């Protein structure tokens, strides 16, 4: 699928388009090619395998219209005539921003803003409103649906849809900007009648818009929490909006001149999928088992892989009680590799407000990923890059519980054992602990949106989203208290995001252990493969499956 931007130069140096394509690169990396139809921004790359600029003059002669083309319907029609544009494409404008991942099946979903029949008695005034209601009257006259598809988010069109609507509305299309049918309104209502698809209401999916006036940075930040789509107009594109976008999308992308690659090579081997999963996130080919006879359960012969830049992933260590040397050694190596580290000496890992504060600040500062590591966990830096390299929204390591013969993982009902080390892999579980957990921004956004978490005012600091607020859930005949990590995983599963553990990683919980004559006379046994038997417990509901 391609993306087509209808574009003319802005008064801000075309920076709006720059941030739009950066958001596209981050949240819709599956796009085949981007087309910029109209003006050419100075920063656009010359690499036509990724993006191509087409001036109006290149195709307008086919139908004999004057240039520059100012009518949106005509621009969409001409773009559909370009032979190299894919038959399916997303129609975009420079003020459309993606704030969360958009999968192809989500991108093709038609979205509408309202049923215009309900507001036809209060039409308002102005050039755009006049055009909207002229199109409404045209649709009503010929018996078409009358949903408002002018939603200001990427809209899925096909060449067939565009050409069919242009054929049937040919007598009403003009070269004037505001006369004739509005493009998305006419094309998608025409397609709905002939294809019979069912659209969804945009406001139910996570949209935020800023229009008609400037907004403060805090207003913009709070309004974008848990949203997938952002739109703004010229009045709202002030210094605060520019700051928010610059923090959210700081890295040049493949559509820009002189951009550095968005990925770098690291040693991240593929892993087998050790258990079937119900989620699309785990739909990947299984790889052969890897040897785990090296320290920390790392593969003997790593295979090359790709990771986003380390600077996008903030490592969070709540460390009020200090950091053990085995953890600090790993953290320093991560810093050497370019990872930002926050050793939060004022926060204890067991306090929920501390977790929520650290996560809220990380997202406000523009980080796209967080890596939670408890200060008493011994790890190898390659293990961080391993869990990032899976490309999952949420992935953990199986860490032992402090002072207990147990793992800090709650398995799915019916799980009899976990295979750890050689023969292990990616396993979907019910809940995972925050001791070694990688979470992408899209998960935080989905959790906040689905659970309706508010942006809480806190004296002297930025708004806080209570991502890790504890929950109480039924379990058998009693109640189950879910602390910070389990509560977050519960909300993530309820939002449709699986909780996945990489069981090949050997992670250590460092602590105070009583040594006696057995330890004085022998070394603890270590196993390349360890089968961890799971005891059955009371029945419980599985969020995302039973609810």
């Amino acid at each position: 699928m391609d993306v087509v931007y209808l574009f003319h130069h802005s008064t801000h140096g075309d920076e709006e388009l720059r941030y739009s394509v950066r958001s596209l690169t981050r949240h819709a990396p599956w796009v085949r090619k981007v087309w910029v139809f109209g003006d050419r921004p100075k920063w656009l790359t010359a690499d036509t395998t990724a993006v191509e600029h087409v001036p109006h003059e290149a195709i307008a002669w086919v139908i004999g219209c004057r240039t520059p083309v100012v009518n949106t319907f005509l621009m969409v029609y001409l773009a559909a005539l370009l032979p190299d544009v894919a038959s399916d494409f997303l129609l975009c404008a420079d003020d459309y921003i993606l704030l969360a991942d958009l999968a192809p099946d989500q991108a093709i979903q038609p979205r509408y803003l309202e049923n215009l029949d309900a507001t036809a008695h209060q039409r308002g005034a102005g050039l755009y409103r006049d055009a909207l209601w002229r199109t409404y009257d045209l649709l009503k006259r010929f018996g078409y649906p009358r949903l408002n598809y002018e939603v200001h988010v990427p809209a899925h069109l096909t060449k067939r849809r565009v050409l069919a609507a242009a054929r049937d509305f040919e007598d009403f299309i003009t070269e004037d900007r505001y006369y004739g049918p509005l493009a998305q309104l006419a094309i998608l209502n025409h397609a709905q009648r002939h294809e019979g698809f069912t659209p969804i209401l945009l406001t139910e999916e996570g949209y935020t818009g800023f229009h008609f006036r400037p907004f403060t940075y805090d207003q913009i930040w709070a309004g974008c929490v848990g949203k997938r789509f952002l739109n703004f107009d010229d009045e709202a594109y002030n210094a605060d909006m520019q700051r928010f976008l610059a923090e959210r999308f700081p890295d040049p992308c493949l559509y820009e001149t002189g951009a550095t690659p968005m990925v770098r090579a690291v040693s991240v081997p593929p892993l087998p999928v050790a258990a079937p999963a119900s989620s699309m996130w785990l739909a990947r080919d299984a790889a052969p088992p890897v040897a785990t006879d090296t320290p920390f359960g790392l593969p003997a012969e790593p295979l090359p892989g790709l990771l986003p830049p380390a600077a996008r992933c903030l490592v969070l260590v709540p460390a009020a009680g200090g950091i053990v040397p085995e953890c600090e050694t790993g953290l320093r190596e991560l810093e050497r590799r370019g990872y930002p580290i926050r050793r939060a000496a004022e926060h204890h890992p067991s306090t929920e407000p501390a977790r929520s504060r650290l996560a809220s600040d990380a997202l406000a500062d523009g980080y796209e990923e967080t890596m939670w590591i408890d200060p008493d966990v011994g790890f190898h830096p390659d293990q961080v890059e391993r869990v990032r390299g899976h490309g999952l929204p949420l992935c953990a390591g199986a860490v032992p519980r402090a002072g207990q013969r147990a793992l800090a993982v709650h398995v799915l009902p019916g799980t009899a054992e976990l295979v750890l080390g050689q023969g292990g892999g990616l396993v979907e579980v019910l809940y995972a602990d925050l001791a070694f957990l990688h979470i992408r921004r899209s998960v935080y956004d989905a959790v906040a949106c689905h659970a309706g978490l508010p942006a809480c005012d806190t004296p002297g600091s930025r708004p806080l989203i209570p991502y890790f607020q504890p929950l109480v859930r039924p379990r058998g005949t009693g109640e189950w208290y879910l602390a910070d990590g389990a509560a977050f995983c519960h909300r993530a599963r309820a939002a449709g995001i699986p909780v996945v553990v990489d069981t090949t990683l050997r992670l250590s919980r460092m602590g105070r252990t009583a040594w006696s004559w057995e330890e004085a006379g022998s070394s603890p046994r270590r196993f390349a493969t360890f089968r961890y038997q799971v005891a059955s417990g009371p029945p419980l509901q599985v969020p995302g499956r039973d609810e």
Side-chain angles (χ1 to χ4, degrees), residues 160-173:
R160 181 183 296 274
R161 286 178 177 176
V162 175
L163 298 181
R167 176 197 62 210
D168 291 349
F169 295 133
E170 179 182 6
D171 292 341
F172 306 95
I173 300 172

Side-chain angles (χ1 to χ4, degrees), residues 271-289:
L271 286 178
V273 177
S278 59
S279 169
M280 58 173 278
W281 296 99
L282 292 181
R284 53 180 64 207
D285 295 332

Side-chain angles (χ1 to χ4, degrees), residues 299-377:
E301 296 182 1
L303 301 176
L306 292 174
L307 277 183
R312 291 173 54 178
C313 179
L314 178 63
V315 179
L316 296 170
V317 188
I323 301 175
V324 299
E326 294 83 354
C327 182
E328 182 60 33
T329 298
L331 295 176
R332 290 182 180 180
E333 172 59 20
L334 288 176
E335 285 180 313
R336 190 191 69 79
R337 298 184 186 187
Y339 285 86
I341 311 285
R342 286 189 182 168
R343 298 170 177 83
E346 71 278 16
H347 294 313
H348 193 277
S350 64
T351 59
E352 176 278 323
R355 300 276 191 183
S356 295
R357 165 53 59 201
L358 289 171
S360 298
D361 286 349
L363 300 177
D365 291 337
Y367 291 102
E368 288 303 309
E369 309 166 41
T370 60
M371 182 71 211
W372 293 93
I373 302 177
D374 273 1
D376 60 348
V377 171

